[in-house]
Each structure stands twice: as structure tokens, then as C-alpha cells.
Amino acid sequence: MPHHAFQLTIAELQAVIDRNPFNVWMGLQVTTMGSDGIGLRVSGRPEFIGTAALQRVHGGIISSLVDVACGYAVMANTGHGVSTVDLHTDFHRGADLGVLHVSGQLIHRGNRLNCAQARITDGLGVLIASGRGNFYSSRDVLPEVAARLQESPSGPAPVQRE
Amino acid sequence: MPHHAFQLTIAELQAVIDRNPFNVWMGLQVTTMGSDGIGLRVSGRPEFIGTAALQRVHGGIISSLVDVACGYAVMANTGHGVSTVDLHTDFHRGADLGVLHVSGQLIHRGNRLNCAQARITDGLGVLIASGRGNFYSSRDVLPEVAARLQESPSGPAPVQRE
Amino acid sequence: MPHHAFQLTIAELQAVIDRNPFNVWMGLQVTTMGSDGIGLRVSGRPEFIGTAALQRVHGGIISSLVDVACGYAVMANTGHGVSTVDLHTDFHRGADLGVLHVSGQLIHRGNRLNCAQARITDGLGVLIASGRGNFYSSRDVLPEVAARLQESPSGPAPVQRE
Amino acid sequence: MPHHAFQLTIAELQAVIDRNPFNVWMGLQVTTMGSDGIGLRVSGRPEFIGTAALQRVHGGIISSLVDVACGYAVMANTGHGVSTVDLHTDFHRGADLGVLHVSGQLIHRGNRLNCAQARITDGLGVLIASGRGNFYSSRDVLPEVAARLQESPSGPAPVQRE
């Protein structure tokens, strides 16, 4: 299935991510980019703590990481901005404050609706949470890739202009 | 159905919420508490922004609000701490930065597994998002209510000690 | 919010439902139709059983009832066919074989994406399951209401013709 | 991580499946069993049709297949019966009546709460739907494997007897 031909570079995706204040606050760093999806990491910050007595990361932060990993996995393969339609997170274990790794993977690319999944592991590789979501593609190409796409007619064309 | 007899007060729930750094960072304020659930509000802060170009609140913040509204709706009716098992959020409209109201409502109280739902509206009452989740009850009573529960034998007994 | 002005009748919705073999096999009967949503019931059949030892209704049947209650709640308010984008079901209690009641309620009507929720109770009114889903509206009006809608210019116009 | 040492055989899983009327009605056949999960197939039957005009399989059948693939992936690795806590299905394409393949894979094995995911493809290998769910393990070992487990002390012990 050659339909994932288009791909953002790590630097392009980091630039897209850094445009948005909540991403910067979380400290999202792009670590990998490939045909099997994207990898992100965060170092953690004290405000991530949700359960002070246990020093556990808040479920809202975990869900936020699933959201960005899925959403940017879609963007990385399409070059179009997305908005989240729905997001589902399953919490497998409590996460201590520290490095978290998040991988995101495109499951299905539709005309406008795309589906992706994510996994979160801690610094030891232990699975913390996993999830999935549907994302609606904007018709607008990301400004970071607009120039490149104009040069390359094999870019993110599959989003149908209705 | 008289099974929601126990209920935290607004002050007790606010104290539980303020123990946790991410809640404090989000600025969660308890506004209502009743047999039909709980109400929370946040004023918003610049770091909530997820889409800088549109000045829209990040989906991760929206999911975090669904998580806390559902989780605290369970706690408010049980007096026990909870951990999130799974969380589902549907995003209906983009939210501008500003006041957001979140209501949380217990759907089902089980022996250890509880289900709750939430709705988020903006300052004009427009529905932004809604969602639901399952929450596992700890056997430990919240310290904020331990004294009250010892005096009242009709407290959060329904969590079976297996 | 007067945006739910359009509504199928019970007979129209029953006709829409009876066009589809799996609905007929399940024995879906429309019981109520109003501004707060739709009501369906099934009497149950032996093939519904998922756990023979316990004589419990299969989770797939429960999910199917959430799907139809949500999807037809959208159709009843729009007059357009829908396809399910995603479906989430929470299972609160096992259901014995017998009458099940399902209510479906529109949460959000969008341009093409709609969200609805459902609750399933048994013959004694005990909550069995609840859930929600997103549904994509077809541009085609249901044939059952096409004639009525032509006469009434206030019909299901809100679906934008892009 | 050697914690998936235990595994049902194809014949054992088929026997567990065939105890339950709705599974038999759907025509579930176990095709594969391995460390990467289980495979099931159905041939389809006319009652599966949900959209008569399009001859498309009903979303409730699709959800039922996600439920069984996830639930039996958990059982196959634990030897314990399960009940579904929650189920989420994303629908990627309409499915024509005909052979459907479903794979189920354990994501997380907890003390009592387990998480699994599923993918449904049609006879041509095209992805139709995918999903996930949480499943609560019964303390009771499946009768099909009770004898084998008594002989093997390395069986499904990890379910803690509280």
C-alpha cells in the first residue's frame, strides 16, 4: 500500500508542534519519523502531577499525549492540519514523573476523516497507556510544507476538493 | 433511587482538587454540587492554546476537563479516591480562550468500577465537547471526609471489602 | 435552541428501521419519539445469548442497540441517512434475556458530523449499559420523508450542500 | 516479557466460543492463535445486512466482531472468562456481505482489568474497522482448560486471589 508516500521531516513536524503554546508547555520533542509512525517524548514538569500523594502524572496529561501523537501522526502523513473528532484513552498503569515516550501511528486515511492510534511508555519502556482517535483533515496544507508540496505534485493530494 | 445519599460539600471537593498540581495549574473551581452532579469552571490561561493561528483551546485541555469532571463526580458521590480506567471525549466545536464550564454526572456506581459523563460549555452556554469514562474506586476513603464518615455510619459503605 | 424543529414520526422511523435486515432480526420497535430523543424496545430472542452458563445477553447485541439508538436519534432529527463514524459502549451490568429498552438522544448536530448518546435499561428499569457515537450525515434525505420535506421548506436544511 | 506463556489452543478457543449462541449465530471460526494474538473469521449471513439499499454489514455486527476478537484475545492468554467493561469501535469503510477476518491482540494484562485491540478486514484484506476494549477477568478458570491448568503450575496464576 503506497499511500503513505508523503511524510513530514522531523524538523518540519517540530516546527508545526512549536507553533502551539500547550505543546511547548508540555515540552513535546519529536524523536522519530518513519513509515510506521512518529515518536515524541516529554521530560515532564512538576505541574504534570495529578495525584500529589502518589506523585503520579495526571490522566489529562496522558490523554493530551495520546491526542498529539495521533493527531501529528495524521498530519505527518497528509501535510494537512487536523482537528480532533473524538479521542479515547485507556490507562494501564500510573506514570511517575519523568520521561514519557509516545508513538503515534496512522490506522486509516480517509477522504476527510482519519484514524490513528498511540502508545505511551515510561523511561523503562513500560506501557502506561494507549488510545486512538478520529481526526478531520483541514483542506489547508500546513504552511511549513506548502512550498515543498507545490514543487512535488505527488504531495498530499488525496484530500478531495469537493 | 436513594443510592446517592453521600455527598461531598463544595469546600471538601475543592480541597481534594487543590491537593493536585495539574488541577491548580488549570485553575479548577468547584461551582455547584448536587444530586444531579458537580459543576466546575476554569478561566483559561494562555498556555491552554493549542492552535495558535485560531487561538483555540487544545484538545488535551478539553479531555483533561472531561477527566476531572467525571472523576470528581464519582468521588463526590462515594468519598473514595478514583483512578481513570478509560476516557472518551467527543469534540463538537472549537473553544476560544475564556471561561469554560464543565459538568460531571455519575451514570453508574458499581462495586469498584464507576461510570460518569461530562459536558463542557463556553461562557455563552454553547456546547464545546462531551464525554465519559470509567473510574476504579480505591478502597481508601478521602482524608477530607474520613472524620465525617466515621461519625456517620451511612457513609460510603457500598464499596465492598472483598 | 429551536434547531430540532424537524422530527420523524414513529411510523416513519419504524419504516426506516424495517428496511434493514439486522434491525428486523433484532426485533426493534419504536416506542417513543419526542424532543428529548427516541425510544426503542426489543423483546429478545434466544440467539441474543452470549454467555450460555449465565444466560446473559451478548455484548455485541448491547453495542448494536447503542448504535441504532444513537444513529436513529440523529436521523429522527435530521431526516438524512447516517453512517457510524465511531461507537463507544460502557457495560454496567449483565442483562438477562427479556425486554430491553433503549433511548437515544442527539447531543450535537453539526454540519455533517453529529453526536448522540444512548441508555439501555431492562424490563425493571435497571440500567444495563450506556454509550455514545459520532455519525456522518448523508446528503440524501430519507425517502420516507422526501415528500414531506418538499412541502415544508423548514425541513432538514441545515446540512450544508458544499 | 514472558507473561504470555499460557495460551489456549485453537480447538480449546473454538469450544469456548461455541458454547455461546450469538457466537454460533454469527458463525465465528478460529483461524489462528499465536503470540501476536488470535484470528477469527465469519462468512456472513443475510441478517448481517444493516443498509439494505447498499447491502452493507450492520455496524452492530462490526462492533460485535471487535468485542469477540478483543475478549477472546484476553481469554486465550489468561484462561479465565471475561466480561466487557467498555468497547470502542471506529468504522473506516462500509463492508459488503462476505467473508470478514478479525484479529484480536492483548495490549495490557492487569490484575483483573485487561485491554485488547482488534482489526477487521474484508476478503481482499481491506481494513473495514478497528477498535479496542477493556475486559474484566473472572476468577474462574475456563472449564475447557481447568484440567490442563491443574497439571501445569505455570498456568494462568497471575490473577491475584484478593
Side-chain angles (χ1 to χ4, degrees):
Chain A
M1 286 186 289
H3 63 294
H4 292 174
F6 175 78
Q7 205 166 77
L8 291 184
T9 65
I10 288 181
E12 284 169 340
L13 180 55
Q14 188 70 54
V16 172
I17 285 174
D18 287 344
R19 271 198 270 138
N20 295 329
F22 187 60
N23 293 341
V24 173
W25 182 84
M26 286 198 290
L28 288 182
Q29 295 296 323
V30 185
T31 54
T32 59
M33 168 75 65
S35 59
D36 59 344
I38 67 168
L40 304 172
R41 60 162 271 161
V42 293
S43 299
R45 48 187 300 160
E47 298 93 335
F48 280 15
I49 295 293
T51 312
L54 303 172
Q55 289 290 302
R56 290 276 171 73
V57 175
H58 196 285
I61 295 291
I62 300 295
S63 275
S64 298
L65 294 175
V66 171
D67 182 36
V68 293
C70 290
Y72 290 119
V74 175
M75 280 195 214
N77 279 285
T78 61
H80 288 257
V82 300
S83 54
T84 313
V85 171
D86 75 280
L87 185 71
H88 184 79
T89 306
D90 292 312
F91 300 82
H92 308 312
R93 290 182 183 86
D96 296 332
L97 190 58
V99 172
L100 292 175
H101 298 277
V102 201
S103 62
Q105 198 176 20
L106 188 63
I107 295 177
H108 172 71
R109 179 174 183 180
N111 184 24
R112 298 296 293 274
L113 278 170
N114 309 279
C115 189
Q117 64 188 5
R119 289 168 57 91
I120 303 180
T121 51
D122 66 14
L124 300 172
V126 176
L127 184 68
I128 297 299
S130 55
R132 53 172 42 229
N134 288 295
F135 297 83
Y136 196 74
S137 278
S138 161
R139 291 178 186 174
D140 298 324
V141 171
L142 294 167
E144 281 80 358
V145 297
R148 180 152 72 95
L149 289 172
Q150 282 180 324
E151 296 161 16
S152 155
S154 64
V159 175
Q160 191 184 347
R161 312 290 161 155
E162 291 168 280
Chain B
M1 287 187 289
H3 63 295
H4 292 173
F6 175 78
Q7 204 165 79
L8 291 183
T9 65
I10 288 181
E12 284 169 340
L13 181 55
Q14 188 70 55
V16 171
I17 285 174
D18 287 344
R19 271 197 271 138
N20 295 329
F22 187 61
N23 293 341
V24 173
W25 182 84
M26 286 197 290
L28 288 181
Q29 296 295 322
V30 185
T31 54
T32 59
M33 168 74 66
S35 58
D36 59 343
I38 66 168
L40 304 171
R41 60 162 270 161
V42 293
S43 300
R45 48 187 300 159
E47 298 94 334
F48 280 15
I49 295 294
T51 311
L54 303 172
Q55 289 288 305
R56 290 275 171 74
V57 175
H58 196 284
I61 295 291
I62 300 296
S63 275
S64 298
L65 293 175
V66 171
D67 182 36
V68 294
C70 289
Y72 290 119
V74 174
M75 281 195 214
N77 279 285
T78 62
H80 289 257
V82 300
S83 53
T84 313
V85 171
D86 75 279
L87 185 71
H88 185 80
T89 306
D90 292 312
F91 301 81
H92 308 313
R93 291 183 184 85
D96 296 332
L97 189 58
V99 173
L100 293 175
H101 298 277
V102 202
S103 62
Q105 197 176 21
L106 188 62
I107 295 176
H108 172 70
R109 179 175 182 178
N111 183 24
R112 298 295 293 275
L113 278 171
N114 309 279
C115 190
Q117 65 188 4
R119 289 168 58 92
I120 302 180
T121 51
D122 66 14
L124 300 172
V126 175
L127 184 68
I128 298 298
S130 56
R132 52 173 41 229
N134 288 296
F135 297 84
Y136 196 74
S137 279
S138 160
R139 291 179 186 173
D140 299 323
V141 170
L142 294 167
E144 281 79 0
V145 298
R148 179 151 73 94
L149 288 172
Q150 283 181 323
E151 296 162 15
S152 157
S154 64
V159 176
Q160 192 185 346
R161 311 291 160 154
E162 292 166 280
Chain C
M1 288 186 289
H3 62 293
H4 292 174
F6 175 78
Q7 205 166 78
L8 291 182
T9 66
I10 288 181
E12 284 169 340
L13 180 56
Q14 188 70 55
V16 172
I17 285 174
D18 287 344
R19 272 198 268 138
N20 295 329
F22 187 61
N23 293 340
V24 172
W25 182 84
M26 287 197 289
L28 288 182
Q29 296 296 322
V30 186
T31 54
T32 59
M33 169 74 66
S35 59
D36 59 343
I38 67 168
L40 304 172
R41 58 163 272 160
V42 294
S43 299
R45 47 188 302 161
E47 297 94 333
F48 280 14
I49 295 293
T51 312
L54 302 172
Q55 289 289 301
R56 290 277 170 74
V57 174
H58 197 286
I61 295 292
I62 299 295
S63 275
S64 299
L65 294 175
V66 171
D67 182 36
V68 294
C70 289
Y72 290 120
V74 175
M75 280 196 215
N77 279 285
T78 61
H80 289 257
V82 300
S83 54
T84 312
V85 171
D86 75 279
L87 185 71
H88 185 81
T89 306
D90 292 311
F91 300 82
H92 307 312
R93 291 184 184 84
D96 296 332
L97 191 57
V99 173
L100 292 174
H101 298 277
V102 202
S103 62
Q105 198 175 19
L106 188 63
I107 294 176
H108 172 71
R109 178 174 184 181
N111 183 24
R112 298 297 291 277
L113 278 171
N114 309 279
C115 189
Q117 64 188 2
R119 289 168 57 92
I120 303 180
T121 51
D122 67 14
L124 300 172
V126 175
L127 184 68
I128 297 300
S130 56
R132 54 174 39 229
N134 288 296
F135 297 83
Y136 196 75
S137 278
S138 161
R139 292 179 185 173
D140 299 324
V141 170
L142 294 166
E144 282 79 357
V145 298
R148 179 152 72 95
L149 288 173
Q150 283 180 323
E151 295 162 17
S152 156
S154 64
V159 176
Q160 192 185 347
R161 311 292 161 157
E162 291 167 278
Chain D
M1 287 186 290
H3 63 293
H4 293 173
F6 175 77
Q7 204 165 77
L8 291 182
T9 66
I10 288 182
E12 284 169 341
L13 180 56
Q14 188 70 54
V16 171
I17 285 174
D18 287 345
R19 272 197 269 138
N20 295 329
F22 187 61
N23 293 340
V24 173
W25 182 83
M26 287 197 289
L28 288 182
Q29 296 295 322
V30 185
T31 54
T32 60
M33 168 75 65
S35 58
D36 60 342
I38 67 168
L40 304 171
R41 58 163 272 161
V42 294
S43 300
R45 47 188 301 161
E47 298 93 333
F48 280 14
I49 295 293
T51 312
L54 302 172
Q55 289 290 301
R56 290 276 171 75
V57 174
H58 197 286
I61 294 292
I62 299 294
S63 275
S64 298
L65 293 175
V66 172
D67 182 35
V68 294
C70 290
Y72 289 120
V74 175
M75 281 195 214
N77 278 285
T78 61
H80 289 257
V82 300
S83 54
T84 312
V85 171
D86 75 279
L87 185 71
H88 185 81
T89 306
D90 291 312
F91 300 81
H92 307 310
R93 291 183 183 84
D96 296 332
L97 190 58
V99 173
L100 293 175
H101 298 278
V102 202
S103 62
Q105 198 176 20
L106 188 62
I107 294 177
H108 172 70
R109 178 174 184 181
N111 183 25
R112 299 296 290 278
L113 278 171
N114 309 279
C115 189
Q117 64 189 4
R119 289 169 57 93
I120 303 181
T121 51
D122 66 14
L124 300 172
V126 176
L127 184 68
I128 297 299
S130 56
R132 52 174 41 229
N134 288 295
F135 297 82
Y136 196 75
S137 278
S138 162
R139 292 181 185 169
D140 298 324
V141 170
L142 294 166
E144 282 79 358
V145 297
R148 179 151 73 94
L149 288 173
Q150 283 180 323
E151 295 162 16
S152 156
S154 64
V159 176
Q160 191 185 345
R161 311 292 162 153
E162 292 168 278

